[in-house]
Amino acid sequence: MEEHTVKVLLLGDENVGKTTFLSRISKGGNALDGKCEITLLRDVDQPFIFELRNRRRAYRLEFYDTSYPGDWRSLDPDLILICYDISQRLSLINMERVWIKEVHSTFETGDRIPIMVVGLKRDLRSETDPNGIIYPQEGYKVSQAMRADRYVECSAVTGEVLKLAFEDICNTAAQTRSAAGGQSEGGCVLM
């Protein structure tokens, strides 16, 4: 069975939860539901490798993030995940002001690379802070304005919708190796 390599790049502000997310999913499919102990991965160990198989193909997903010891700008990603912290409005603003612009200026083929927006730290969404609360509709709306292909939210700490988010990321990654590619047709899809 031929193995297809897919490079996935996670971008976003510091401390939005990228390392915790990668550390949690590195424990495998059985650890995606509910709470579990998380041992943080080390940045020097990048790329973080995940092996997937379906009936027809095998995939090797290589995850890199902005703390990649080399220059992440020199990578040639097949899928980009722009991450923000649901409890920090500034990370949502920077996603739109900084990170999508970085994608388009760094990767000349930025229009063909599928982009997913990932809202992390869903467990920290607070109803008591009216200024800091970011509802899914708002994250989705910003994703649409950025012309992202997909929008997902999850919590790596509690496991809240983590399995669904990871499955959507894996499906999109696998689609990058198909003739149709991983980009959505005509707009952002909410998962």
Side-chain angles (χ1 to χ4, degrees), residues 55-66:
R55 292 180 188 169
R56 296 185 193 124
R57 293 188 173 161
Y59 298 94
R60 174 187 166 102
L61 303 184
E62 296 179 353
F63 283 82
Y64 300 82
D65 77 14
T66 47

Side-chain angles (χ1 to χ4, degrees), residues 1-4 56-59:
M1 182 182 296
E2 183 182 353
E3 185 175 74
H4 298 275
R56 296 185 193 124
R57 293 188 173 161
Y59 298 94

Side-chain angles (χ1 to χ4, degrees), residues 39-191:
T39 305
L40 293 180
L41 299 171
R42 299 176 322 157
D43 294 333
V44 295
D45 293 332
Q46 292 188 55
F48 306 115
I49 309 297
F50 300 92
E51 305 281 339
L52 301 173
R53 298 193 189 293
N54 65 21
R55 292 180 188 169
R56 296 185 193 124
R57 293 188 173 161
Y59 298 94
R60 174 187 166 102
L61 303 184
E62 296 179 353
F63 283 82
Y64 300 82
D65 77 14
T66 47
S67 58
Y68 176 58
D71 184 5
W72 61 265
R73 291 171 181 87
S74 65
L75 295 172
D76 185 21
D78 300 299
L79 173 62
I80 296 174
L81 307 180
I82 301 178
C83 304
Y84 78 99
D85 177 347
I86 287 172
S87 68
Q88 298 294 321
R89 182 159 299 282
L90 182 59
S91 69
L92 179 74
I93 293 167
N94 285 342
M95 186 177 69
E96 200 172 16
R97 288 186 183 165
V98 176
W99 294 108
I100 194 65
K101 290 178 182 177
E102 277 285 334
V103 167
H104 291 299
S105 67
T106 303
F107 305 108
E108 292 179 21
T109 56
D111 285 343
R112 72 154 178 83
I113 301 172
I115 298 172
M116 290 183 74
V117 170
V118 182
L120 297 171
K121 300 186 182 181
R122 182 178 164 126
D123 57 304
L124 298 181
R125 181 176 279 136
S126 171
E127 298 288 338
T128 60
D129 183 4
N131 296 324
I133 192 165
I134 301 168
Y135 288 107
Q137 309 86 285
E138 185 178 0
Y140 178 69
K141 184 177 177 183
V142 170
S143 300
Q144 285 181 311
M146 291 171 34
R147 299 184 60 215
D149 294 286
R150 303 188 77 68
Y151 177 81
V152 296
E153 288 186 356
C154 64
S155 168
V157 172
T158 65
E160 184 181 356
V161 295
L162 179 62
K163 187 172 188 173
L164 290 173
F166 187 61
E167 286 174 359
D168 196 35
I169 291 166
C170 291
N171 288 335
T172 303
Q175 288 173 3
T176 66
R177 293 295 174 230
S178 70
Q183 288 186 313
S184 64
E185 293 181 24
C188 186
V189 176
L190 176 64
M191 282 303 294

Side-chain angles (χ1 to χ4, degrees), residues 12-31:
D13 291 352
E14 285 186 35
N15 300 315
V16 296
K18 298 182 302 286
T19 302
T20 304
F21 172 76
L22 289 171
S23 298
R24 177 69 185 260
I25 62 176
S26 72
K27 294 187 165 288
N30 294 333

